[in-house]
Amino acid sequence: MLPADNHVHSEWSFDTGPQASMVGACARAVEVGVPAIAFTEHLEFTDWVEGDAIAVDGLAIGWWALIRPIDLTGYLACVAECRERFPGLRIRTGVEAGEPHMFGASVAGVLASGPIERVLGSLHAIPHEGRLIAPDKLFHTLGTSEVMRRYFTEMVRMIKESDVFEVLAHLDYPRRYWPADAPPYREADYEEGYRAVLRALAGSDRVLEINTRSPLASVDLLRWWREEGGRAVSFGSDAHVPWIVGDKFDLAVDVAASAGFTHGRDPYDFWRR
């Protein structure tokens, strides 16, 4: 049996299109043998409230024009409907909180308004010249090495300053958008940055995601995770359309097993060392 897919988006995320479907994603999970699915819808903000650190940072936000508030009432009703339609599938509620260290009070307000079971922490934007900017937009301004250095530094800050999330999503997110004219991406070139993030994450006793939408993590990277004290991994397809649910999980399972991780307490659990 494949592991749970703990990172899936449906029509309730603002960046999905007309083909996104919670019902369709559940049907796909059943079809491919994924025992559990977490609908971790995007939770991003274009404004701040009292208690958000970004108010003190003074950064201009609204870096992504698509951002919209999550309709939690509609989302939870859709989850309830899917649980009735797919009784053999474990369906978890969730959010993917973007920059949670900057929007702590805003995130807490959403989490307090409904039952959310799985919270991912994500870094989709980093500070640059007084603004939050998607890191891939800075590759040709700062250079790839400097972007990765800043990204990992900000991720360490996110881990240390936010305890709201359980799973760290897409550890090396900018890698997805690596410029074609740049030298090939090699994890070894950024080992120091990776290890700093992994050390901070392990110290907080949280979980590392193996994201199969991004270039797949190597066995070496997951061994670094173990060496830095990491004890568990989560699998996430980061699907935005139903047919991506569980994508490449067979490969991800092989990588995790080769690095010393195995099935948890039950089919729905994280994999553990």
Side-chain angles (χ1 to χ4, degrees):
M1 182 178 287
L2 294 175
D5 192 338
N6 284 308
H7 188 161
V8 176
H9 299 277
S10 73
E11 65 267 35
W12 301 97
S13 280
F14 58 77
D15 65 339
T16 56
Q19 294 178 304
S21 165
M22 187 180 288
V23 171
C26 291
R28 178 63 175 174
V30 172
E31 177 187 353
V32 300
V34 168
I37 189 169
F39 288 101
T40 51
E41 310 297 354
H42 280 296
L43 185 58
E44 305 272 357
F45 302 95
T46 57
D47 201 356
W48 52 267
V49 300
E50 184 178 355
D52 284 341
I54 196 165
V56 178
D57 292 344
L59 295 172
I61 55 180
W63 60 276
W64 196 1
L66 291 175
I67 292 175
R68 297 291 184 274
I70 184 172
D71 175 3
L72 199 60
T73 301
Y75 162 75
L76 291 173
C78 194
V79 169
E81 176 189 346
C82 285
R83 284 172 172 166
E84 290 186 7
R85 292 183 61 170
F86 301 92
L89 178 67
R90 174 74 65 87
I91 302 173
R92 290 188 173 100
T93 57
V95 293
E96 179 184 0
E99 298 74 58
H101 59 312
M102 299 183 186
F103 297 97
S106 292
V107 172
V110 173
L111 297 182
S113 62
I116 301 298
E117 299 168 278
R118 180 74 78 229
V119 180
L120 312 181
S122 292
L123 188 63
H124 294 124
I126 59 176
H128 177 67
E129 296 183 349
R131 296 174 56 210
L132 273 181
I133 298 180
D136 55 290
K137 303 301 183 185
L138 297 170
F139 279 139
H140 290 100
T141 303
L142 300 176
T144 52
S145 295
E146 178 62 13
V147 168
M148 294 308 299
R149 186 193 69 79
R150 294 190 186 195
Y151 185 83
F152 287 135
T153 298
E154 190 65 26
M155 184 164 274
V156 169
R157 180 191 166 205
M158 182 179 84
I159 294 166
K160 291 182 176 180
E161 296 183 5
S162 174
D163 61 1
V164 73
F165 63 93
E166 180 182 19
V167 179
L168 178 65
H170 43 57
L171 167 66
D172 45 19
Y173 175 72
R175 183 179 179 182
R176 289 185 185 177
Y177 309 103
W178 204 248
D181 58 353
Y185 189 95
R186 297 194 322 140
E187 290 170 346
D189 292 339
Y190 305 100
E191 181 176 354
E192 181 179 351
Y194 276 116
R195 284 189 178 273
V197 172
L198 297 174
R199 191 177 311 121
L201 189 67
S204 66
D205 198 27
R206 284 183 272 191
V207 180
L208 178 68
E209 177 186 85
I210 303 175
N211 187 293
T212 60
R213 182 181 176 191
S214 296
L216 197 60
S218 70
V219 174
D220 284 341
L221 196 158
L222 293 186
R223 284 176 177 156
W224 296 344
W225 171 229
R226 288 194 61 181
E227 290 168 5
E228 296 298 339
R231 297 191 294 202
V233 294
S234 175
F235 297 83
S237 66
D238 208 346
H240 284 61
V241 288
W243 56 89
I244 300 299
V245 170
D247 188 46
K248 301 176 187 171
F249 272 27
D250 54 342
L251 300 176
V253 160
D254 286 346
V255 172
S258 296
F261 294 90
T262 190
H263 300 279
R265 294 178 291 264
D266 58 54
Y268 318 113
D269 191 19
F270 301 124
W271 276 37
R272 301 179 186 276
R273 54 187 291 182

